[in-house]
Structure formats: structure tokens, C-alpha cells
Amino acid sequence: MGRLLALSLLGIALALLGERLLALRNRLKASREVESVDLPNCHLIKGIEAGSEDIDILPNGLAFFSVGLKCPGLHSFAPDKPGGILMMDLKEENPRALELRISRGFNLASFNPHGISTFIDNDNTVYLFVVNHPEFKNTVEIFKFEEEENSLLHLKTIKHELLPSVNDIIAVGPAHFYATNDHYFSDPFLKYLETYLNLHWTNVVYYSPDEVKVVAEGFDSANGINISPDKKYIYVADILAHEIHVLEKHPNMNLTQLKVLKLDTLVDNLSIDPSSGDILVGCHPNGQKLFVYDPNNPPSSEVLRIQNILSEKPTVTTVYANNGSVLQGSSVASVYDRKLLIGTLYHRALYCQL
């Protein structure tokens, strides 16, 4: 009787593990392939070889790139080199990506930048917020951008127990932001277990010097975040649920869910087209290829444009798609004055004239 019970329990456990594995493959879109959608007048950006995970563009056309992200279990083309912040002036005829100098006293050797966001204060001071993973920990760094010197002055490092696994950030003040946690845990094994079991414990946190609080939760894996041009709504990408959540922002900075847009791809970072308010999304058509890297079958890239997301039937169009032969693992797409920048998790970056 005891052996029969043990065999029954083993069978149940194996069945549960198999079901979870199949569910994870579905969440990763492990069988999906993408058909190419090409753009004319595109070229790879010189100087970006090991990822440009996030991009943010100022109203004057200065684009910031977060480069060189490293994560446990993720492929890297530059495993021994720290990350950095690059800048490109999109108003130039032939813009080049230049690395910004960072002020002394900041630990450049462990700089591991992830999501970024800019904020322009009333006195036109530009702040750059950077999600950082020094030694695979979690901090938010606030810099002041000094344009004349092409440099960043480090102002503050933020750590908090409500920010255990920060992915992306949207600045809403000189020291105020919303941030996504893509996992509930910070321990790598517990992160994997959480993802495998599909716990839906990830969240969005609001941070200010006076208050830190969870303002939205229940996501599979909260990822990219941005704000509508009128500052009334927060957009959150849930990468493994293939969804974009529209959340209404209230005067007390709390958020309430308004709607969810379901897509057929893994949605990463979200950018806003300043001329139209459309959302551009860097996507991963097949997430499994990101984590099980094969140079003969590399991860593909996909960029979507979402128009009228508040309407009953938003318009979703594919702006760009590639099977990995040109661009591997697109994570972000940002547009400025008919110029499109596409960044990747650990590969190259693309510049296109639309």
C-alpha cells in the first residue's frame, strides 16, 4: 500500500511538472516563428555590439541608450565589460553613438544598466534615471545630464525592499518614479521557481522621497512601463502574459486598471511617439530563443505600433520584424521626427529613416 501511494504521488508530481513545463513553453511562445517585415534606409549603429536594452529620447532629439546589460543565465557578447550610457543626436545628418562620461565616485566597474527614463524639471534640468544591477543586485541611479560636457553627474542611489527585482522605470519627478518588478524574489533560484510556477506576484511600485508603495500587482512578469502624453495613464507590459495594461493614474499616485490589450508576442519595453501618442513596443516573438542561445537559430525581433489604445479596438501594426539575421532580441523601439531606433537585449541596435 505504501509503495502504491508513493508511486501515485510521484506520478502526480511528474504530471504537474510536465504541465508547468508545457505552460512555460506556451508563455515563451517557444514554437513561434516570425515573417520578415523590412524597413528601407536602415543601418546598424556603430559602437553597439552587446545590447541596448532601453532607449529614451528627449524632445530636442538627444537619445540615450542603456547598453551592456548582463543577467544570470542570459547570453552576453561582452561578459567582462561593464555597461554604460550612450547618447546620439538625432538632429545630426549622420548621428553617431557616443559614450557619456560619468562623474567620479560612481562605481563604473559594476555598472549594469537596464531600464532608463528621463525627466525635465521646470528649470530645464535633465535627470536620467537608470535601473542598475551592480553584482546582480537592484538599485535605481539618478543622474543629472550635463549637455555641454556630454557627461552624467551622479546624484543618488536608491535601494528599497519594495524594489527587489527592478526591470523598468518611468520618471514623474526629479526624485519620483514608477518602477516594475519583474519578479517577486531577488534570489536567482526563487526567481526561476516563481516563473516556472506562474505565480503572478510581480508588481508596480511608486517611489518618492516621502512615500514608497505598491500601486499595481498580480502581473505574470511586469516589464516595460511608460506614461501617456497627457500624464493620465500608465502603460505596463506583462511580458510572459503577452499583455499591455492600461492603468489610470490618480492624484495620490495610486493606479487602477482600466483595460488590458492582449497580443501574440512577448512585449518588452514601451515607448511613446511624441507626435501621435502611439505606443511602440519592442517584442520577442520567441522567448525561448532568448534564454537558450543558438547562433545558428538566433532570437528574432519584432516592433509593434499600437494606435488608440484607449478605444474598444486599438489598431496594432507590425513596423519591423526580422528572424535574427540582422537584429537579435529586440527589446525597445523609439521614434523621433521620422527616425526609428530599435534596441536589443544583448545584440546590436538599428537606426532607420522612416
Side-chain angles (χ1 to χ4, degrees):
M1 185 69 179
R3 290 181 179 178
L4 181 60
L5 178 61
L7 286 173
S8 298
L9 292 175
L10 178 61
I12 293 171
L14 291 174
L16 178 61
L17 288 172
E19 187 275 332
R20 287 292 85 197
L21 181 60
L22 181 60
L24 180 59
R25 281 181 53 83
N26 290 335
R27 288 155 66 209
L28 290 172
K29 296 284 181 181
S31 300
R32 185 172 179 233
E33 300 294 337
V34 67
E35 294 184 8
S36 291
V37 176
D38 295 321
L39 286 170
N41 307 316
C42 292
H43 67 267
L44 294 169
I45 299 173
K46 186 177 180 180
I48 298 179
E49 312 287 340
S52 47
E53 200 278 338
D54 203 6
I55 300 170
D56 199 12
I57 307 176
L58 293 175
N60 63 2
L62 293 179
F64 296 91
F65 297 77
S66 163
V67 300
L69 174 67
K70 297 170 187 64
C71 296
L74 196 67
H75 181 74
S76 175
F77 286 105
D80 300 322
K81 183 181 178 182
I85 302 294
L86 305 188
M87 188 188 72
M88 176 183 280
D89 188 348
L90 298 181
K91 287 189 175 180
E92 293 181 357
E93 187 173 345
N94 296 299
R96 296 178 300 139
L98 303 173
E99 185 164 4
L100 294 176
R101 292 185 298 104
I102 297 179
S103 60
R104 293 180 181 180
F106 180 75
N107 188 353
L108 289 171
S110 65
F111 194 28
N112 191 11
H114 198 166
I116 61 174
S117 179
T118 55
F119 179 80
I120 304 175
D121 211 345
N122 293 332
D123 61 0
N124 291 321
T125 300
V126 176
Y127 298 94
L128 179 68
F129 291 65
V130 181
V131 176
N132 187 22
H133 303 294
E135 300 174 348
F136 304 126
K137 296 180 174 64
N138 292 270
T139 66
V140 173
E141 313 292 347
I142 303 179
F143 299 92
K144 177 184 175 183
F145 173 52
E146 298 183 320
E147 185 173 351
E148 291 184 2
E149 290 81 22
N150 282 337
S151 66
L152 296 171
L153 175 64
H154 184 249
L155 300 178
K156 188 176 184 181
T157 295
I158 294 169
K159 301 177 184 178
H160 197 276
E161 61 182 8
L162 291 182
L163 300 170
S165 185
V166 192
N167 184 297
D168 197 18
I169 189 169
I170 181 68
V172 292
H176 311 67
F177 57 84
Y178 290 98
T180 56
N181 284 302
D182 55 18
H183 289 83
Y184 179 81
F185 298 105
S186 56
D187 178 80
F189 174 75
L190 293 178
K191 281 185 175 185
Y192 175 79
L193 191 63
E194 174 190 347
T195 300
Y196 190 79
L197 295 176
N198 194 13
L199 295 180
H200 281 80
W201 286 359
T202 74
N203 56 32
V204 178
V205 170
Y206 171 71
Y207 178 95
S208 76
D210 302 318
E211 182 180 33
V212 186
K213 57 185 177 181
V214 174
V215 289
E217 54 191 340
F219 302 96
D220 187 340
S221 183
N223 198 286
I225 187 169
N226 217 311
I227 191 168
S228 62
D230 60 11
K231 313 301 181 186
K232 292 181 179 180
Y233 306 100
I234 297 291
Y235 307 132
V236 176
D238 190 335
I239 187 168
L240 291 178
H242 323 129
E243 298 171 344
I244 296 176
H245 294 246
V246 180
L247 306 166
E248 187 174 3
K249 184 169 73 72
H250 300 288
N252 62 2
M253 309 309 283
N254 287 340
L255 304 176
T256 55
Q257 182 161 287
L258 194 63
K259 66 177 298 184
V260 178
L261 177 64
K262 294 188 174 295
L263 299 165
D264 190 37
T265 188
L266 281 72
V267 288
D268 202 325
N269 287 317
L270 310 173
S271 298
I272 308 300
D273 184 338
S275 64
S276 64
D278 297 347
I279 303 172
L280 284 102
V281 193
C283 304
H284 307 290
N286 185 322
Q288 180 166 293
K289 292 183 180 182
L290 281 177
F291 300 103
V292 185
Y293 186 78
D294 179 356
N296 297 313
N297 188 22
S300 46
S301 292
E302 185 176 33
V303 174
L304 301 181
R305 178 184 287 270
I306 300 167
Q307 297 170 284
N308 302 314
I309 193 168
L310 294 175
S311 67
E312 287 189 13
K313 293 184 177 181
T315 302
V316 181
T317 55
T318 302
V319 175
Y320 176 83
N322 181 261
N323 63 5
S325 60
V326 176
L327 206 63
Q328 302 176 14
S330 56
S331 57
V332 63
S334 296
V335 68
Y336 174 84
D337 191 26
R338 300 196 59 79
K339 300 176 180 71
L340 176 69
L341 301 173
I342 306 174
T344 63
L345 198 57
Y346 47 67
H347 190 232
R348 307 292 302 275
L350 202 63
Y351 171 88
C352 302
Q353 293 271 6
L354 299 178

